[in-house]
Amino acid sequence: MGPTYPSTEGAASARDARRALQRVGAFPAAPEPALELLRPDASEPPRLQRAEPLEGDAMAVRAVDGAPVVGIAAFLDGIQQSRVLAYWRGGIPVVHGTVAAAVRLRRDRTLVRWRADADRVDRALYAPRAALDDSVWTSLSTTCAVRDTLSPDERGPWHPQDLVARALHAVQRQREALETACAERWCAAGDGPLFVDGGIAAAGGAAHSPLAVGVVKSHRTLYVDGAALPLVLGLRAGERTTMFTVASPRRAAVASWYLRLRDPAAHDALWGLVRVEIARDDADGARADLVSRWILAERAPLALPDPRWGAMAYGIRLTEEYLRAVSR
Amino acid sequence: MSIGRVVATERKPNTPHEFHFWTALDAPVGIGTIVRVEGGATADGGALSVYGVVVEGFSYTDLQSPLHDVLGADGDPSNAVHAPTDRTEIRLYTAHALRHVPDEPLQPVPMGRVHLATDEDIAVALRMDGYLRDGQRTAIPIGVYRSGATQSPVYLDADFLLGPEAAHLNISGVSGLATKTSAVEWLLSSIFAHFPEQKGSVAAVCFNVKGPDLCFLDQPSDRLDDTDRALYAAAGVPAEPFRDVEYFAPWTARGHTLATLRSHPALAHNVRPLSWGLREVLQYAEVLLNKDDVDAKADALIDFIRERVVNQEFSDPILTRGHTVRSFADLAAWFSELLRGMEGRDMESWRTHHVATIRKVRNRLTNISTRCRGLVTDDGTSSDLPFGAFRDRAVYVVDVAASEEDAQDLIFARVVSQLREQLERRTLGVDHVIVFVDELNKYAPSDGPDTYVRQMLLDIAERGRYLGLVLFAAQQFRSQVHRRVVGNCGTALFGRMDMDELATPGYATLAPATRVKLSTLDKGQLMVRHPHFAQPVFVRFPRPAVLGGRDGVERFPAEPEPTLEAAVVRSLRTLDPTITLEWVKQAAVAAPEEDVLRARNRTLQVRPDDVKAYFRAQFRARVAPEAVPDRPTAMPLAGSEFSDPYGG
């Protein structure tokens, strides 16, 4: 992980980075929307993946036992934004990435800073080192963090769009790293359940903590087989599936289940649907119900005007807004 | 500790005169709060401070549509309280700059931290530091600025309130709630307590134009609470009634008693009659005669009478005897004989004055004593304010509440003219006089005929500050007062205002929130404009330490009009407490009512050492009717030839 600059210092702001690139003779890029808007989740095709049942022998539908109850103590989210700032000779893209993550503590129904190191903002340039002159790399490094988007042994030539995609992935990894650090910090010292925007399987130690509750809003991978798919799609508000295990070679195995927050009505069948992840160690039906009740309690207030409001908790929206403000 | 932070966006930028800041939801900031902005640096590296007063406030959330909140609560407002997280809400305020330190260069307000103003900040922000300095102090407390725990006295500059730099004060507000009279009573107390020694002496002449408002200025109030006392203490003004007050009121139409609600015997010691004879009134005949009455010809005749007839021996071949006209009765006699003489000689004009003009002037002048009965005496006796002997820190209340409109105009015109003349000659007895007039819109309306009284008010407003003649005026609707009168008032106070009035152009410079605050002000709150203040500020002031009019008439109920003898006793007892009803009946036995009243009035006017002797002496000049004894006649002699005049 490269150096992390406090947002207030702005040492690696896009403006500073652009000036540094001008100094070394890079060709400035025309202003364009963020890469995340131009290439949203293009890398992962939608798919179904069978998962091992953890509660019963096969996936079933349960009404969440009990009324929604406030249990979440804090919210964790991260954001990223990347832009091509300049092109080195031969059209090598140099990308500026800003990532940020924060844990926001809920106190008196208001989200506040948990502690000084609970907010992390990182700005850096992302470029293929092998494609740049050493002097240029060194010069840029004196102004801001510069991260290599290639493996040490890779050699060109490279498709320019592939280089952009690699930069985007590098930025994403950096965001996940910050989020993981924030999650681990909370699980080590926080008090109460942490609502994590996204899965916790890749969150290092947090994946094993009873404090971390991952809530996944996107469903490019649905952890069901063909027979159970109608059950998931047919969930009604306040219903959940039985638990199953989500495991992959590079991630921790976690307990997971689908939970319907709102009836889809005129929306598509995945609207208002979230997949919850908790540590597998203490997962049982009662805990799944309790965690579901916590999440259901977060349906109000609505996360509007965010377009993902059907599955988004307002606390996560506030955390995102906070991160946008401090990383700007 | 800062309570906010300055913000600016391209859509809502800051300027040198206006800036925006946000605060925590529970910050003690509201419309009228004075704040200090710290941040930014001057060209030479010094610290820059900007002071401002909050004029507008905004609150909003991240909702794009109210419908979203409805959806979130499933259409049931009671569900909204169960949300575990409150929507993000902002308190955004707009402030108008009061002062930049340093003053130059004048730049947009920087992004900085916002603090609640301290006592010292208030003094700097309102530029009061210039007149609060030791040795040059000319500060008059007008009230206390309150914000959170801060209670800072706000001062007016005496040089700009009572002259010579600027002067005059105008106070507006709806009746009953705006505390206009209370504010003036409080301010007079404050002036009397703080008017600087080096600026000389000051007195006040207050016209009581309605009810018992100003009738008990020398009586203590029993309504002061701890908050009021704290305000008095903060302002350094003693919470006590005025020590030196004199009341003046015309007589009632019958003349038995004074036409004032301050007629309780316990308060009679400082109530004096206000009555004028021909000499006093003729100087101000224009007040009572409208322009249709007084054309050039009539004006010439009035001038002739004023200069050649009144108070001097006047003879003319047309008159059968010499006349010394000292009273309306004398004037009536003079006119009668003059017209009789002209008729006898079949003259159409006399000394260039046409008979019709003479008749017209006679009618207009001689009925003044009827129109202003009680104020104007037929017999020429006069009882007046103590012009030439005004006392420092004294209040002279002229109660015209029960007088007819003509009499009110006459009183106002003559009193103010006398004040102006004597201040010009420096013979009044004090250096500054504050004249308080309520219902200014009646005396100096923005439209309507150009009256003598309005001209006089304009004159005071425009030139009075050089003389020390200061106008404190109040009215419900400022927009209905002549622009030059209110425009010349250096200081303006606003109590609770009517929304219709606030919609008039005169208030367009106020921010909408400030106007709304003005329309909802509590009693005891004022908005103050003063030449030193770049923006209006809101202050609180205590209840007056004097007895209110309504309380006063309950504690000291007005006496019904007494019999003639009882009225005389009541009046003369203010001079000699030993006078009794029996004594008066004896002294004035068989005298006609008008003679008794004349004797009383002369006694009150002269205020002799031996009241009884003087009063009795008034009847000696009169030839008392005596019973004619039976004349002794010679008895007819018996048996004489005269025993039977018809003889036998």
Side-chain angles (χ1 to χ4, degrees), chain A residues 90-141:
Chain A
I92 306 297
V94 181
V95 172
H96 182 267
T98 300
V99 299
V103 171
R104 302 285 287 165
L105 178 68
R106 181 155 59 197
R107 182 186 297 153
D108 297 334
R109 297 168 39 126
T110 303
L111 298 195
V112 297
R113 174 185 276 195
W114 170 39
R115 59 187 210 187
D117 61 354
D119 307 347
R120 301 296 297 274
V121 179
D122 178 276
R123 298 185 182 90
L125 286 176
Y126 295 83
R129 178 165 191 169
L132 303 183
D133 297 343
D134 281 347
S135 59
V136 171
W137 187 270
T138 306
S139 175
L140 292 175
S141 300

Side-chain angles (χ1 to χ4, degrees), chain A residues 52-60 62 240-245 255-257 283-289:
Chain A
E52 197 65 33
L54 193 59
E55 187 182 9
D57 298 331
M59 183 173 278
R62 302 264 171 92
R240 70 172 178 89
T241 63
T242 50
M243 283 189 290
F244 50 87
T245 299
S256 184
W257 67 92
D284 59 20
R287 174 136 181 96
D289 276 337

Side-chain angles (χ1 to χ4, degrees), chain B residues 543-562:
Chain B
R543 293 183 182 91
V546 303
L547 190 61
R550 210 172 296 166
D551 293 340
V553 291
E554 282 179 14
R555 196 188 298 174
F556 300 104
E559 290 281 297
E561 186 151 12

Side-chain angles (χ1 to χ4, degrees), chain A residues 19-312:
Chain A
R19 284 178 184 154
L21 287 164
Q22 282 175 344
R23 277 198 296 273
V24 299
F27 189 77
E32 285 191 348
L35 296 176
E36 287 78 6
L37 297 176
L38 296 174
R39 302 158 180 265
D41 289 337
S43 59
E44 195 179 340
R47 62 195 174 102
L48 300 179
Q49 181 177 321
R50 188 181 179 283
E52 197 65 33
L54 193 59
E55 187 182 9
D57 298 331
M59 183 173 278
V61 174
R62 302 264 171 92
V64 173
D65 187 12
V69 61
V70 179
I72 300 296
F75 295 84
L76 165 63
D77 195 13
I79 61 166
Q80 68 177 68
Q81 191 174 62
S82 320
R83 277 195 171 84
V84 178
L85 282 194
Y87 294 96
W88 185 242
R89 291 170 202 144
I92 306 297
V94 181
V95 172
H96 182 267
T98 300
V99 299
V103 171
R104 302 285 287 165
L105 178 68
R106 181 155 59 197
R107 182 186 297 153
D108 297 334
R109 297 168 39 126
T110 303
L111 298 195
V112 297
R113 174 185 276 195
W114 170 39
R115 59 187 210 187
D117 61 354
D119 307 347
R120 301 296 297 274
V121 179
D122 178 276
R123 298 185 182 90
L125 286 176
Y126 295 83
R129 178 165 191 169
L132 303 183
D133 297 343
D134 281 347
S135 59
V136 171
W137 187 270
T138 306
S139 175
L140 292 175
S141 300
T142 58
T143 304
C144 52
V146 190
R147 298 203 177 95
D148 192 358
T149 55
L150 300 176
S151 303
D153 53 350
E154 281 190 272
R155 292 288 175 268
W158 301 276
H159 190 295
Q161 288 183 350
D162 182 39
L163 290 175
V164 171
R166 284 165 181 262
L168 188 55
H169 288 150
V171 173
Q172 188 174 331
R173 283 196 300 277
Q174 183 63 21
R175 174 179 59 80
E176 289 170 354
L178 290 192
E179 289 176 345
T180 298
C182 287
E184 288 180 330
R185 209 168 285 130
W186 175 270
C187 292
D191 183 13
L194 175 71
F195 189 118
V196 180
D197 186 43
I200 61 168
H208 304 287
S209 169
L211 297 183
V213 176
V215 180
V216 182
K217 304 188 296 292
S218 63
H219 304 289
R220 297 189 75 78
T221 300
L222 279 172
Y223 292 91
V224 288
D225 55 24
L229 182 59
L231 296 181
V232 173
L233 300 184
L235 284 175
R236 291 179 298 180
E239 289 182 342
R240 70 172 178 89
T241 63
T242 50
M243 283 189 290
F244 50 87
T245 299
V246 172
S248 72
R250 284 178 297 173
R251 300 187 174 199
V254 294
S256 184
W257 67 92
Y258 285 100
L259 173 67
R260 180 72 75 180
L261 301 182
R262 295 184 172 86
D263 284 323
H267 301 275
D268 73 75
L270 297 179
W271 191 86
L273 183 72
V274 296
R275 185 170 61 78
V276 185
E277 288 185 0
I278 61 171
R280 200 172 59 168
D281 301 347
D282 59 347
D284 59 20
R287 174 136 181 96
D289 276 337
L290 179 61
V291 171
S292 297
R293 290 165 65 197
W294 294 344
I295 295 169
L296 288 169
E298 300 299 329
R299 289 178 298 184
L302 298 186
L304 281 165
D306 194 295
R308 302 163 294 172
W309 66 275
M312 189 184 223

Side-chain angles (χ1 to χ4, degrees), chain B residues 266-278:
Chain B
L267 304 178
H269 61 282
N270 58 354
V271 184
R272 319 244 181 274
L274 183 70
S275 63
W276 297 325
L278 176 65

Side-chain angles (χ1 to χ4, degrees), chain B residues 161-163 167-169 432-436 460 464 468-472:
Chain B
L161 180 64
L162 302 178
H168 315 307
L169 175 134
H432 301 81
V433 174
I434 297 162
V435 175
F436 171 52
I460 298 175
L469 183 57
V470 182
L471 180 67
F472 281 15

